[in-house]
Amino acid sequence: MTQSKNRKFDYTLLTALFLLVITGLVILYSTSAYNGDVKFHDSFYYLKKQVFATLLGIAGMFVVANMDYHVWRHFAVLGYLTAILLSVAVLFIGDEINGSKRWLSLGPLSFQPSEFAKVAL
């Protein structure tokens, strides 16, 4: 069985996705413009951050969509062990926010290992 290099996307799904993303960005701006203006003197502060993250996510989506998913099978055990290690690390070096430890900080980046565990498992 040969795989076609000419893969096609589901354009209906992509259209729905982009409509939801644009709607989300409009809602984000409408709810955060005042707060961004007061705190950062830029009503587009939160929108700019989210647009950057959205563009990274869309680029990642197209990269992953063009990958052979069978490649990830070789990294399954490593991903599982990393998820466990990060989950345990939260107990010792996690950031406490609102009375609970859920986040790990790596310089300017912070993330929840539970989210990584959902992807890895």
Side-chain angles (χ1 to χ4, degrees), residues 28-54:
L28 172 76
Y29 176 71
S30 70
T31 59
S32 66
Y34 177 75
N35 193 22
D37 194 31
V38 169
K39 283 188 173 182
F40 305 104
H41 305 292
D42 181 7
S43 61
F44 292 98
Y45 177 79
Y46 294 109
L47 181 65
K48 287 190 264 186
K49 288 181 72 158
Q50 190 63 40
V51 166
F52 178 72
T54 300

Side-chain angles (χ1 to χ4, degrees), residues 4-18:
S4 171
K5 292 287 183 185
N6 189 11
R7 296 182 184 176
K8 297 188 182 199
F9 296 108
D10 182 350
Y11 292 107
T12 304
L13 184 61
L14 282 175
T15 301
L17 172 74
F18 285 120

Side-chain angles (χ1 to χ4, degrees), residues 61-108:
M61 177 186 72
F62 282 111
V63 167
V64 171
N66 288 311
M67 291 178 75
D68 180 17
Y69 67 90
H70 294 97
V71 171
W72 296 108
R73 183 176 39 185
H74 303 294
F75 299 105
V77 173
L78 178 63
Y80 182 71
L81 293 175
T82 303
I84 291 172
L85 180 70
L86 290 173
S87 296
V88 171
V90 168
L91 297 172
F92 299 106
I93 59 171
D95 295 337
E96 186 171 329
I97 298 174
N98 294 330
S100 64
K101 287 186 176 183
R102 295 185 185 143
W103 295 81
L104 285 179
S105 294
L106 300 172

